Amino acid sequence: MSEDALKMKSLSKDSGIWQWAMFSFVLAGLTGFLYRLGLVFPLPIDFSFENIRHGHSHLMFFGWAALLPMYLIKLDSIPGYHAAFGPRLMKASLWFSVVFTLLSYPAFLMWGYQPVAAGEAYLPLSAILSGMVMIGWYGFMIGYLITRYFKKDFQPNIWFESALIMLFISSLGAWGVGFVELMGIGGPMFGKALTHFFLATFMEGWVILVLLGLIAKVLKIGEKELVVSPLVLVGLITIGAPLTFPYGIPESMVSLNLSVAARMGGFLIAEGILLFAFSAFRSRKKMMAIWVWPLIFLVAKAFMQLVASVSPADLWLSDHGIRILYLHVVLLGALTTGLVAYLNRDLDIRAGYFYAVLGSVIFVILTLVLLTSLWPAFLSGIWIYDVLALAAIFPVIAVMLFWLKLYLTVKKDVKQFP
């Protein structure tokens, strides 16, 4: 059976996994819409805005930015169904992550990180459930390693394997938060630093590397097409990603050494991305098609990072709006358009569905500029929050339409393969 047939059967047989990822994006998007709507109208239910934000971000991280890329790594490594233990463990671990991702969402929505009464004890339920998600990550990694070792024709992918290493390292920061709080080590700032270590390594390491891997695979960018070795590019990103965690901590609480390290880390990541993007544009101009858009978002992210690396902290660190804009350029702009482009191209879905998602993403990112110091103060007003709320619903609608088309395409095409 051809690789295309195996992939189609896998997409059909494992449709629950990627459909739950789509569901997670839609639910997280609706939660973000609820948050913005609450800034305009009183919400019917008395949810904490902070808890709504936690529910939105954790579902987007765990259910979309982690789950779907891991599934695509499995699909790339072992297309089709395999009875061997490694692939079965990878699949079971993905389902394990799905269950606890969905269980953690209402916990974050209702309680955030606050302990919950359980008899005479108070348990950090949200942290426990999100920790179980990471156990699913570990199971997936073990299954991948077993498959890599025992599958004779296995072809390792340096981008995906480096991304998995970054995912593992990021999880150590998340576990460290609970450990230092339990042991009372280092005070609250130490826990905050570990939280940002998790976020930085996840977003700057896992997300970027897995996205570059998808782009390199589709555009067939090998070592010959890159201006430098892929090992060098991976090294720039894997070294730089963990160093950027101080960006999330107030400058007054960051030492000079940490500040310099963060700037160096940002510079290394930006350099790696720009070298990759230059190689892609130079060698694959005729193959770009819709892939030009994830690359444009990556280049925009790299330039934002370069500016942050060389400018005074007062110009960017104190502006919460710019940090929110940057986060959405990476996760909504680069990653989401990249994931949709990958599924869109692999299944030969009409490009209009991709452009619907792209247009909605660009609209949201442009509205986020209104919250930053880049937008003139004399043009600001309460109307900004109406625009933000309106924009937030469009990616949800666009992804729902793409999800429906994806499901119908898989259902139809799988019948072509006996």
Side-chain angles (χ1 to χ4, degrees), residues 6 138 181 196 202 249-250 322 346 368 372 378 418:
L6 288 171
Y138 298 156
E181 288 181 358
H196 285 287
F202 182 95
I249 305 173
I322 287 182
D346 211 37
L368 288 173
T372 71
F378 71 90

Side-chain angles (χ1 to χ4, degrees), residues 148-382:
R148 190 186 196 279
Y149 183 77
F150 287 103
K151 192 171 185 291
K152 293 181 180 179
D153 58 344
F154 189 87
Q155 296 181 348
N157 184 306
I158 187 173
W159 304 103
F160 293 158
E161 293 190 352
S162 301
L164 287 170
I165 291 172
M166 287 288 97
L167 186 63
F168 174 77
I169 293 174
S170 74
S171 72
L172 299 181
W175 289 117
V177 175
F179 178 76
V180 298
E181 288 181 358
L182 180 66
M183 302 300 293
I185 300 172
M189 281 309 301
F190 194 29
K192 187 176 181 66
L194 287 170
T195 299
H196 285 287
F197 177 85
F198 161 74
L199 294 172
T201 309
F202 182 95
M203 191 170 75
E204 305 289 355
W206 159 256
V207 167
I208 298 303
L209 286 169
V210 82
L211 181 54
L212 295 183
L214 293 175
I215 295 173
K217 178 175 177 58
V218 171
L219 298 183
K220 297 180 173 60
I221 301 174
E223 188 167 357
K224 293 181 180 179
E225 289 75 30
L226 295 169
V227 292
V228 296
S229 165
L231 185 62
V232 173
L233 297 180
V234 165
L236 290 171
I237 295 167
T238 54
I239 293 172
L243 295 177
T244 59
F245 79 90
Y247 278 152
I249 305 173
E251 181 74 5
S252 60
M253 300 180 181
V254 176
S255 68
L256 177 61
N257 288 339
L258 282 179
S259 180
V260 171
R263 292 166 186 269
M264 288 179 60
F267 184 84
L268 292 175
I269 296 167
E271 183 182 6
I273 291 172
L274 292 175
L275 286 171
F276 180 92
F278 173 76
S279 301
F281 284 117
R282 185 189 65 167
S283 63
R284 291 294 184 262
K285 289 180 183 178
K286 295 181 180 179
M287 295 176 62
M288 279 294 177
I290 59 178
W291 281 100
V292 69
W293 292 104
L295 280 166
I296 286 173
F297 283 116
L298 281 172
V299 170
K301 169 251 194 298
F303 277 113
M304 292 176 75
Q305 207 158 32
L306 284 177
V307 171
S309 296
V310 300
S311 63
D314 291 343
L315 293 180
W316 52 270
L317 193 57
S318 59
D319 192 333
H320 182 67
I322 287 182
R323 290 170 58 190
I324 296 298
L325 174 64
Y326 174 78
L327 185 68
H328 282 77
V329 167
V330 177
L331 294 177
L332 190 60
L335 180 67
T336 297
T337 61
L339 292 175
V340 172
Y342 188 85
L343 293 170
N344 192 99
R345 188 180 180 93
D346 211 37
L347 296 178
D348 196 26
I349 297 174
R350 204 162 59 243
Y353 290 90
F354 169 81
Y355 285 114
V357 175
L358 174 67
S360 68
V361 166
I362 292 175
F363 186 28
V364 169
I365 290 175
L366 289 177
T367 62
L368 288 173
V369 176
L370 303 176
L371 293 177
T372 71
S373 56
L374 301 173
W375 184 254
F378 71 90
L379 293 178
S380 297
I382 196 68

Side-chain angles (χ1 to χ4, degrees), residues 56-102:
H56 165 75
S57 61
H58 281 79
L59 188 57
M60 195 64 82
F61 269 74
F62 292 154
W64 179 250
L67 180 64
L68 187 54
M70 281 196 292
Y71 173 72
L72 294 178
I73 289 175
K74 175 186 177 296
L75 192 64
D76 177 69
S77 306
I78 319 104
Y81 175 76
H82 290 262
F85 178 71
R88 292 174 63 187
L89 178 59
M90 293 170 73
K91 181 178 177 180
S93 299
L94 288 173
W95 276 113
F96 187 89
S97 294
V98 167
V99 170
F100 284 99
T101 292
L102 296 175

